[in-house]
Amino acid sequence: EKLRIQKQVEALGEEKLKSFGKTLDDYMTTNNIPAPDSIFADKQIPSVEAISFIPITTIINDKVVSSSTSASPSPTSVAHSSDNTKLVEHCNDGAPSHLPFSIQFDHVKSEFVDMKLLLETTGLDDHLRLYLPLYL
């Protein structure tokens, strides 16, 4: 990298470098001028309560872990919400009662589906890892 910079300096010459330096200083001076207060004077800072969040329900295995379906869900409303109960039943429909791994569902009301699978493969031989895409 030092060699490249040295070649660039030699190719441009002292006068061209000074010209580029002056141009850069001019732009920096212009860029550092503070914005006039009149630009911000008529802008209102919105309240944090005005922010609407996307409701997400997280289920790990057979339990609702978190739910942001209301503004501030209490643990009671998370566990006993009829929508959450239906979602847990749907996620567990046909699932074995005990799995040797953890499954996490993050539910967002949407027209899209995004699925990810993360596997811990440290116990798998290197030559067998090549075959994982066949099982997925």
Side-chain angles (χ1 to χ4, degrees):
E1 179 66 15
K2 290 180 182 179
L3 182 62
R4 185 193 66 79
I5 293 172
Q6 183 181 358
K7 286 182 181 179
Q8 186 75 16
V9 168
E10 291 171 4
L12 291 173
E14 198 66 35
E15 290 300 317
K16 195 70 166 173
L17 285 175
K18 285 182 182 178
S19 170
F20 285 154
K22 181 175 178 356
T23 304
L24 178 62
D25 289 340
D26 292 344
Y27 284 127
M28 292 292 285
T29 302
T30 304
N31 193 43
N32 290 331
I33 295 174
D37 290 337
S38 61
I39 291 178
F40 303 108
D42 61 342
K43 305 295 185 250
Q44 296 285 331
I45 298 175
S47 168
V48 176
E49 286 81 28
I51 300 171
S52 61
F53 294 98
I54 299 171
I56 299 172
T57 302
T58 300
I59 300 171
I60 297 180
N61 292 345
D62 60 347
K63 294 178 182 63
V64 176
V65 183
S66 67
S67 180
S68 62
T69 55
S70 64
S72 57
S74 66
T76 311
S77 68
V78 169
H80 298 294
S81 166
S82 64
D83 286 342
N84 289 343
T85 305
K86 289 178 187 176
L87 189 58
V88 170
E89 288 173 2
H90 179 75
C91 290
N92 291 329
D93 187 29
S97 60
H98 177 71
L99 296 172
F101 48 85
S102 178
I103 296 178
Q104 177 174 330
F105 297 96
D106 293 314
H107 177 65
V108 178
K109 289 187 178 185
S110 172
E111 298 293 323
F112 301 96
V113 174
D114 182 27
M115 297 177 74
K116 295 181 177 122
L117 177 64
L118 303 173
L119 297 173
E120 196 271 311
T121 61
T122 56
L124 191 62
D125 292 336
D126 288 341
H127 73 280
L128 294 176
R129 285 191 185 139
L130 299 171
Y131 297 105
L132 274 176
L134 296 175
Y135 291 107
L136 305 177

